[in-house]
Amino acid sequence: MKTGLHLTKGLRVGLLGGSFDPAHDGHAHITREALRRFGLDRVVWLVSPGNPLKAQGPAPLEQRMDRARAVMDDPRVTISDAESRLGTRYTADTIAALKSLHQGVNFVWLMGADNLRQFHRWDHWQDIMGTVPVGVLARPGDRISARTSPAARIFLHARLRQEEAHLLPLCDAPAWCFVNVPMVSQSSTAIRAQGAWRHRAGDQGAENAQK
């Protein structure tokens, strides 16, 4: 299969995209919360080749995937290089390709509240909202700014109540739900700044893809 994913019709599958440079316990924590709160069967970590919103490229893809597998060891979670396989640059294109190749799968796009705050900067972000339900998980310091963001205001009519979160995977887009969860205050940026994450010697960084 072109994506390398084995997803059967009817599954409720969360998609968590990012550079994962590096993956950390915060990513694992929101994944477990998403599985529980949104009633998901599976979550796929879409490890992107790069990020066009960042000037400097990430560590090599395989290095980041190895780290992700070490951090998130759960049979319900797949660490995927589907974006690299598909050759998609932006999230909207990735989602469209996945829906076309895995028809009948109930996809939900997952993001932290920090991403909702600047979601309107993403390429074709309104197409994303119109294509799949979106599950937003609160992160420290971003709850108020996320809920008053341009995307949240424009799609206020499509917001589910927190207690309806488990219904999200079966909703027709646009639909989104913001859930407050206990958060792990950890970030890839902080890990890199501490010098705890190094590119492998001799490896070359990957080029850009959005998340």
Short mmCIF file of all heavy atoms in Angstrom, two decimals, residues 33-80:
data_model
loop_
_atom_site.label_atom_id
_atom_site.label_comp_id
_atom_site.label_asym_id
_atom_site.label_seq_id
_atom_site.Cartn_x
_atom_site.Cartn_y
_atom_site.Cartn_z
N GLU A 33 -4.55 10.43 25.65
CA GLU A 33 -5.77 11.17 25.97
C GLU A 33 -6.71 11.19 24.77
O GLU A 33 -7.93 11.07 24.92
CB GLU A 33 -5.42 12.59 26.40
CG GLU A 33 -4.75 12.69 27.76
CD GLU A 33 -5.72 12.38 28.90
OE1 GLU A 33 -6.95 12.49 28.70
OE2 GLU A 33 -5.24 12.03 29.99
N ALA A 34 -6.17 11.37 23.57
CA ALA A 34 -7.00 11.40 22.37
C ALA A 34 -7.69 10.06 22.14
O ALA A 34 -8.88 10.02 21.79
CB ALA A 34 -6.15 11.77 21.15
N LEU A 35 -6.96 8.97 22.34
CA LEU A 35 -7.56 7.65 22.19
C LEU A 35 -8.76 7.50 23.11
O LEU A 35 -9.82 6.99 22.71
CB LEU A 35 -6.52 6.57 22.50
CG LEU A 35 -5.49 6.28 21.40
CD1 LEU A 35 -4.26 5.57 21.99
CD2 LEU A 35 -6.11 5.41 20.31
N ARG A 36 -8.61 7.96 24.34
CA ARG A 36 -9.65 7.80 25.34
C ARG A 36 -10.80 8.79 25.14
O ARG A 36 -11.97 8.41 25.11
CB ARG A 36 -9.05 7.98 26.74
CG ARG A 36 -10.06 7.78 27.87
CD ARG A 36 -9.36 7.84 29.22
NE ARG A 36 -8.84 9.17 29.50
CZ ARG A 36 -9.56 10.14 30.09
NH1 ARG A 36 -10.82 9.94 30.41
NH2 ARG A 36 -9.01 11.32 30.32
N ARG A 37 -10.46 10.06 24.97
CA ARG A 37 -11.50 11.09 24.97
C ARG A 37 -12.32 11.08 23.68
O ARG A 37 -13.52 11.35 23.70
CB ARG A 37 -10.86 12.46 25.16
CG ARG A 37 -10.11 12.61 26.48
CD ARG A 37 -11.06 12.59 27.67
NE ARG A 37 -11.92 13.75 27.70
CZ ARG A 37 -11.60 14.91 28.26
NH1 ARG A 37 -10.43 15.06 28.87
NH2 ARG A 37 -12.44 15.92 28.25
N PHE A 38 -11.67 10.80 22.55
CA PHE A 38 -12.39 10.82 21.27
C PHE A 38 -12.85 9.43 20.82
O PHE A 38 -13.37 9.29 19.71
CB PHE A 38 -11.51 11.46 20.19
CG PHE A 38 -11.15 12.89 20.47
CD1 PHE A 38 -9.82 13.29 20.51
CD2 PHE A 38 -12.13 13.84 20.73
CE1 PHE A 38 -9.47 14.61 20.79
CE2 PHE A 38 -11.80 15.16 20.99
CZ PHE A 38 -10.47 15.55 21.03
N GLY A 39 -12.66 8.43 21.66
CA GLY A 39 -13.12 7.08 21.33
C GLY A 39 -12.46 6.51 20.09
O GLY A 39 -13.10 5.85 19.27
N LEU A 40 -11.14 6.73 19.95
CA LEU A 40 -10.42 6.29 18.76
C LEU A 40 -9.96 4.84 18.89
O LEU A 40 -9.65 4.36 19.99
CB LEU A 40 -9.21 7.19 18.52
CG LEU A 40 -9.50 8.68 18.33
CD1 LEU A 40 -8.20 9.47 18.28
CD2 LEU A 40 -10.32 8.91 17.07
N ASP A 41 -9.89 4.16 17.76
CA ASP A 41 -9.33 2.81 17.71
C ASP A 41 -7.81 2.84 17.53
O ASP A 41 -7.10 2.00 18.08
CB ASP A 41 -9.94 2.01 16.55
CG ASP A 41 -11.44 1.89 16.65
OD1 ASP A 41 -11.93 1.42 17.71
OD2 ASP A 41 -12.13 2.25 15.68
N ARG A 42 -7.37 3.80 16.74
CA ARG A 42 -5.95 3.90 16.41
C ARG A 42 -5.55 5.37 16.34
O ARG A 42 -6.39 6.25 16.10
CB ARG A 42 -5.66 3.27 15.04
CG ARG A 42 -5.99 1.80 14.90
CD ARG A 42 -4.81 0.93 15.23
NE ARG A 42 -3.72 1.16 14.31
CZ ARG A 42 -3.62 0.61 13.08
NH1 ARG A 42 -4.58 -0.17 12.62
NH2 ARG A 42 -2.56 0.84 12.33
N VAL A 43 -4.25 5.62 16.49
CA VAL A 43 -3.68 6.93 16.20
C VAL A 43 -2.44 6.71 15.33
O VAL A 43 -1.64 5.80 15.59
CB VAL A 43 -3.29 7.70 17.47
CG1 VAL A 43 -2.46 8.95 17.12
CG2 VAL A 43 -4.53 8.13 18.24
N VAL A 44 -2.31 7.51 14.30
CA VAL A 44 -1.14 7.46 13.43
C VAL A 44 -0.33 8.73 13.64
O VAL A 44 -0.86 9.84 13.51
CB VAL A 44 -1.54 7.35 11.94
CG1 VAL A 44 -0.29 7.41 11.05
CG2 VAL A 44 -2.32 6.06 11.69
N TRP A 45 0.93 8.58 14.01
CA TRP A 45 1.85 9.72 14.07
C TRP A 45 2.42 9.91 12.68
O TRP A 45 3.15 9.05 12.16
CB TRP A 45 2.99 9.46 15.06
CG TRP A 45 2.61 9.61 16.49
CD1 TRP A 45 1.36 9.66 17.04
CD2 TRP A 45 3.53 9.71 17.60
NE1 TRP A 45 1.44 9.80 18.40
CE2 TRP A 45 2.74 9.83 18.77
CE3 TRP A 45 4.91 9.70 17.70
CZ2 TRP A 45 3.31 9.94 20.03
CZ3 TRP A 45 5.49 9.81 18.96
CH2 TRP A 45 4.71 9.94 20.11
N LEU A 46 2.08 11.03 12.04
CA LEU A 46 2.59 11.36 10.72
C LEU A 46 3.87 12.19 10.90
O LEU A 46 3.81 13.40 11.09
CB LEU A 46 1.55 12.13 9.92
CG LEU A 46 0.27 11.36 9.56
CD1 LEU A 46 -0.78 12.30 9.01
CD2 LEU A 46 0.58 10.25 8.56
N VAL A 47 5.00 11.52 10.83
CA VAL A 47 6.28 12.21 11.02
C VAL A 47 6.66 12.87 9.71
O VAL A 47 6.93 12.20 8.71
CB VAL A 47 7.38 11.22 11.47
CG1 VAL A 47 8.67 11.98 11.78
CG2 VAL A 47 6.92 10.43 12.70
N SER A 48 6.63 14.19 9.68
CA SER A 48 6.78 14.93 8.43
C SER A 48 8.24 15.04 8.01
O SER A 48 9.15 15.03 8.84
CB SER A 48 6.20 16.34 8.58
OG SER A 48 6.99 17.09 9.49
N PRO A 49 8.47 15.14 6.68
CA PRO A 49 9.83 15.37 6.21
C PRO A 49 10.42 16.68 6.73
O PRO A 49 11.62 16.80 6.90
CB PRO A 49 9.68 15.40 4.69
CG PRO A 49 8.44 14.61 4.42
CD PRO A 49 7.52 14.93 5.58
N GLY A 50 9.57 17.68 6.99
CA GLY A 50 10.06 18.98 7.47
C GLY A 50 8.89 19.88 7.79
O GLY A 50 7.75 19.45 7.79
N ASN A 51 9.17 21.15 8.05
CA ASN A 51 8.14 22.10 8.44
C ASN A 51 8.41 23.44 7.76
O ASN A 51 9.38 24.11 8.08
CB ASN A 51 8.15 22.28 9.97
CG ASN A 51 7.01 23.16 10.46
OD1 ASN A 51 6.49 24.00 9.73
ND2 ASN A 51 6.63 22.97 11.70
N PRO A 52 7.54 23.88 6.80
CA PRO A 52 7.78 25.13 6.07
C PRO A 52 7.62 26.38 6.94
O PRO A 52 7.98 27.46 6.52
CB PRO A 52 6.73 25.09 4.95
CG PRO A 52 5.66 24.21 5.48
CD PRO A 52 6.35 23.18 6.33
N LEU A 53 7.06 26.23 8.16
CA LEU A 53 6.94 27.38 9.06
C LEU A 53 8.21 27.58 9.88
O LEU A 53 8.31 28.52 10.65
CB LEU A 53 5.74 27.20 9.99
CG LEU A 53 4.37 27.11 9.31
CD1 LEU A 53 3.27 26.96 10.35
CD2 LEU A 53 4.11 28.32 8.43
N LYS A 54 9.18 26.67 9.73
CA LYS A 54 10.44 26.78 10.46
C LYS A 54 11.59 26.95 9.48
O LYS A 54 11.66 26.28 8.45
CB LYS A 54 10.66 25.53 11.31
CG LYS A 54 9.62 25.34 12.41
CD LYS A 54 9.89 24.09 13.23
CE LYS A 54 8.84 23.91 14.32
NZ LYS A 54 9.08 22.69 15.13
N ALA A 55 12.52 27.86 9.80
CA ALA A 55 13.62 28.17 8.89
C ALA A 55 14.65 27.05 8.83
O ALA A 55 15.25 26.79 7.79
CB ALA A 55 14.30 29.48 9.33
N GLN A 56 14.89 26.37 9.94
CA GLN A 56 15.90 25.33 10.00
C GLN A 56 15.27 23.96 9.91
O GLN A 56 14.27 23.66 10.55
CB GLN A 56 16.71 25.45 11.30
CG GLN A 56 17.86 24.45 11.39
CD GLN A 56 18.68 24.68 12.64
OE1 GLN A 56 18.49 25.67 13.35
NE2 GLN A 56 19.60 23.77 12.93
N GLY A 57 15.85 23.07 9.09
CA GLY A 57 15.30 21.74 8.91
C GLY A 57 15.48 20.87 10.15
O GLY A 57 16.35 21.13 10.98
N PRO A 58 14.66 19.82 10.27
CA PRO A 58 14.73 18.94 11.43
C PRO A 58 15.83 17.89 11.27
O PRO A 58 16.51 17.82 10.24
CB PRO A 58 13.35 18.29 11.42
CG PRO A 58 13.04 18.17 9.97
CD PRO A 58 13.60 19.44 9.34
N ALA A 59 15.96 17.04 12.29
CA ALA A 59 16.85 15.88 12.20
C ALA A 59 16.36 14.96 11.09
O ALA A 59 15.20 15.03 10.67
CB ALA A 59 16.87 15.16 13.55
N PRO A 60 17.20 14.07 10.60
CA PRO A 60 16.79 13.15 9.53
C PRO A 60 15.55 12.35 9.92
O PRO A 60 15.34 12.01 11.10
CB PRO A 60 18.00 12.23 9.36
CG PRO A 60 19.16 13.07 9.81
CD PRO A 60 18.64 13.91 10.94
N LEU A 61 14.72 12.04 8.93
CA LEU A 61 13.44 11.39 9.16
C LEU A 61 13.58 10.08 9.93
O LEU A 61 12.84 9.84 10.89
CB LEU A 61 12.74 11.15 7.81
CG LEU A 61 11.39 10.45 7.85
CD1 LEU A 61 10.38 11.25 8.67
CD2 LEU A 61 10.86 10.24 6.43
N GLU A 62 14.49 9.22 9.53
CA GLU A 62 14.61 7.92 10.19
C GLU A 62 15.02 8.06 11.65
O GLU A 62 14.58 7.30 12.51
CB GLU A 62 15.60 7.03 9.44
CG GLU A 62 15.54 5.56 9.87
CD GLU A 62 14.14 4.96 9.77
OE1 GLU A 62 13.47 5.18 8.74
OE2 GLU A 62 13.73 4.28 10.73
N GLN A 63 15.87 9.05 11.93
CA GLN A 63 16.26 9.29 13.32
C GLN A 63 15.06 9.71 14.15
O GLN A 63 14.87 9.24 15.29
CB GLN A 63 17.34 10.38 13.39
CG GLN A 63 17.80 10.69 14.80
CD GLN A 63 18.87 11.79 14.84
OE1 GLN A 63 19.39 12.19 13.80
NE2 GLN A 63 19.18 12.27 16.02
N ARG A 64 14.22 10.58 13.60
CA ARG A 64 13.04 11.03 14.33
C ARG A 64 12.02 9.90 14.50
O ARG A 64 11.36 9.79 15.53
CB ARG A 64 12.41 12.23 13.60
CG ARG A 64 13.26 13.49 13.73
CD ARG A 64 12.65 14.68 13.03
NE ARG A 64 12.81 14.64 11.59
CZ ARG A 64 11.85 14.73 10.70
NH1 ARG A 64 10.60 14.90 11.09
NH2 ARG A 64 12.10 14.69 9.41
N MET A 65 11.90 9.03 13.50
CA MET A 65 10.98 7.90 13.61
C MET A 65 11.46 6.90 14.66
O MET A 65 10.66 6.34 15.42
CB MET A 65 10.79 7.24 12.25
CG MET A 65 10.00 8.11 11.28
SD MET A 65 9.61 7.29 9.72
CE MET A 65 8.53 5.97 10.27
N ASP A 66 12.76 6.64 14.71
CA ASP A 66 13.31 5.74 15.73
C ASP A 66 13.01 6.27 17.12
O ASP A 66 12.61 5.52 18.02
CB ASP A 66 14.82 5.60 15.55
CG ASP A 66 15.19 4.72 14.36
OD1 ASP A 66 14.30 4.02 13.83
OD2 ASP A 66 16.36 4.75 13.96
N ARG A 67 13.19 7.56 17.31
CA ARG A 67 12.91 8.18 18.61
C ARG A 67 11.41 8.06 18.93
O ARG A 67 11.04 7.75 20.07
CB ARG A 67 13.34 9.63 18.58
CG ARG A 67 12.79 10.52 19.70
CD ARG A 67 13.46 10.30 21.03
NE ARG A 67 12.96 11.22 22.03
CZ ARG A 67 13.71 11.86 22.90
NH1 ARG A 67 15.02 11.68 22.92
NH2 ARG A 67 13.16 12.69 23.78
N ALA A 68 10.57 8.30 17.93
CA ALA A 68 9.12 8.23 18.15
C ALA A 68 8.70 6.83 18.57
O ALA A 68 7.87 6.66 19.47
CB ALA A 68 8.38 8.65 16.89
N ARG A 69 9.26 5.81 17.95
CA ARG A 69 8.92 4.43 18.31
C ARG A 69 9.35 4.13 19.75
O ARG A 69 8.66 3.38 20.46
CB ARG A 69 9.61 3.45 17.35
CG ARG A 69 9.11 3.52 15.92
CD ARG A 69 9.72 2.42 15.06
NE ARG A 69 9.41 2.60 13.65
CZ ARG A 69 10.24 3.11 12.76
NH1 ARG A 69 11.47 3.48 13.12
NH2 ARG A 69 9.87 3.24 11.50
N ALA A 70 10.47 4.70 20.18
CA ALA A 70 10.93 4.47 21.54
C ALA A 70 10.04 5.16 22.57
O ALA A 70 9.80 4.65 23.66
CB ALA A 70 12.38 4.96 21.68
N VAL A 71 9.53 6.34 22.20
CA VAL A 71 8.68 7.12 23.11
C VAL A 71 7.26 6.57 23.19
O VAL A 71 6.66 6.53 24.26
CB VAL A 71 8.67 8.61 22.67
CG1 VAL A 71 7.58 9.39 23.39
CG2 VAL A 71 10.02 9.24 22.91
N MET A 72 6.71 6.14 22.05
CA MET A 72 5.30 5.73 21.97
C MET A 72 5.22 4.25 21.62
O MET A 72 5.08 3.88 20.46
CB MET A 72 4.58 6.57 20.93
CG MET A 72 3.07 6.41 20.89
SD MET A 72 2.18 7.20 22.25
CE MET A 72 1.70 5.81 23.25
N ASP A 73 5.32 3.40 22.61
CA ASP A 73 5.26 1.95 22.41
C ASP A 73 3.87 1.46 22.80
O ASP A 73 3.62 1.08 23.94
CB ASP A 73 6.35 1.26 23.26
CG ASP A 73 6.40 -0.24 23.02
OD1 ASP A 73 5.80 -0.70 22.04
OD2 ASP A 73 7.03 -0.96 23.83
N ASP A 74 2.96 1.49 21.83
CA ASP A 74 1.57 1.10 22.07
C ASP A 74 1.05 0.48 20.78
O ASP A 74 1.18 1.08 19.71
CB ASP A 74 0.74 2.34 22.45
CG ASP A 74 -0.67 2.00 22.90
OD1 ASP A 74 -1.37 1.27 22.17
OD2 ASP A 74 -1.09 2.48 23.97
N PRO A 75 0.45 -0.71 20.84
CA PRO A 75 -0.02 -1.36 19.62
C PRO A 75 -1.11 -0.58 18.88
O PRO A 75 -1.36 -0.84 17.70
CB PRO A 75 -0.55 -2.71 20.12
CG PRO A 75 -0.84 -2.51 21.58
CD PRO A 75 0.19 -1.53 22.04
N ARG A 76 -1.74 0.37 19.56
CA ARG A 76 -2.79 1.17 18.91
C ARG A 76 -2.22 2.36 18.15
O ARG A 76 -2.96 3.06 17.46
CB ARG A 76 -3.78 1.68 19.96
CG ARG A 76 -4.51 0.60 20.73
CD ARG A 76 -5.28 1.20 21.89
NE ARG A 76 -4.37 1.84 22.86
CZ ARG A 76 -4.78 2.56 23.90
NH1 ARG A 76 -6.08 2.76 24.09
NH2 ARG A 76 -3.90 3.08 24.73
N VAL A 77 -0.91 2.58 18.28
CA VAL A 77 -0.27 3.76 17.68
C VAL A 77 0.74 3.33 16.63
O VAL A 77 1.60 2.49 16.90
CB VAL A 77 0.41 4.63 18.75
CG1 VAL A 77 1.05 5.87 18.11
CG2 VAL A 77 -0.60 5.04 19.82
N THR A 78 0.63 3.91 15.44
CA THR A 78 1.54 3.62 14.34
C THR A 78 2.41 4.83 14.05
O THR A 78 1.90 5.94 13.90
CB THR A 78 0.76 3.25 13.06
OG1 THR A 78 -0.06 2.10 13.32
CG2 THR A 78 1.71 2.95 11.91
N ILE A 79 3.71 4.62 13.99
CA ILE A 79 4.65 5.68 13.61
C ILE A 79 4.85 5.59 12.11
O ILE A 79 5.32 4.57 11.60
CB ILE A 79 6.01 5.52 14.34
CG1 ILE A 79 5.79 5.32 15.85
CG2 ILE A 79 6.89 6.72 14.05
CD1 ILE A 79 5.01 6.42 16.53
N SER A 80 4.46 6.63 11.39
CA SER A 80 4.37 6.53 9.93
C SER A 80 5.16 7.61 9.19
O SER A 80 5.22 8.76 9.62
CB SER A 80 2.89 6.63 9.52
OG SER A 80 2.75 6.70 8.11
#
